[in-house]
Amino acid sequence: QVQLVESGGGLVQAGGSLRLSCAASGRTFSDYAMGWFRQAPGKEREVVAAISWSGGNTYYADSVKGRFTISRDNARNTVPLQLNSLKPEDTAVYYCAAVRVLTDYVIPRSAREYEYWGQGTQVTVSS
């Protein structure tokens, strides 16, 4: 089992920044690829960014490329997500997720591929 806890959400004006963090506990953190997803009211959960177990490979949704940055600290079992140049359409509940993978080249991008989920943190961007 892996337990995930997100933090750092809040209310920010358009153009502002937030830093989300995901704290993991349980199994060997470095065996897991990690992802950040978001879900807005009435919409499906979508991937925002994902990172391989070493942190050497990353994936970003086109909508956030150049604005969001995912990283990981395997010594501290954390996965930060830096959100810059926020837009009202970034408003959503943001979730951290984990899945055990066999290689460092695998970065799952679909929500159904992930095994463990946090409870989510709300990000609201006002115009």
Side-chain angles (χ1 to χ4, degrees):
Q1 283 281 32
V2 175
Q3 292 79 41
L4 303 172
V5 178
E6 303 96 335
S7 61
L11 173 64
V12 64
Q13 288 188 332
S17 298
L18 282 174
R19 186 174 178 85
L20 307 183
S21 187
C22 174
S25 61
R27 297 290 181 88
T28 304
F29 180 65
S30 56
D31 287 348
Y32 291 79
M34 302 295 296
W36 278 97
F37 290 77
R38 67 186 180 187
Q39 188 166 19
K43 294 189 177 182
E44 293 188 355
R45 192 169 297 190
E46 62 176 2
V47 64
V48 173
I51 190 165
S52 64
W53 70 27
S54 73
N57 297 295
T58 57
Y59 167 81
Y60 294 95
D62 288 344
S63 59
V64 307
K65 278 182 183 176
R67 300 189 298 124
F68 293 6
T69 303
I70 190 172
S71 59
R72 69 186 293 161
D73 184 337
N74 285 345
R76 299 186 178 185
N77 290 5
T78 59
V79 183
L81 181 69
Q82 180 67 38
L83 289 63
N84 295 330
S85 302
L86 282 161
K87 305 175 181 180
E89 51 263 43
D90 293 320
T91 295
V93 178
Y94 283 69
Y95 297 91
C96 175
V99 59
R100 189 170 184 182
V101 294
L102 297 179
T103 79
D104 197 40
Y105 299 101
V106 175
I107 311 178
R109 305 173 185 182
S110 171
R112 64 179 180 270
E113 297 181 89
Y114 282 79
E115 301 172 88
Y116 303 101
W117 293 85
Q119 82 290 350
T121 186
Q122 176 71 47
V123 171
T124 303
V125 184
S126 63
S127 57

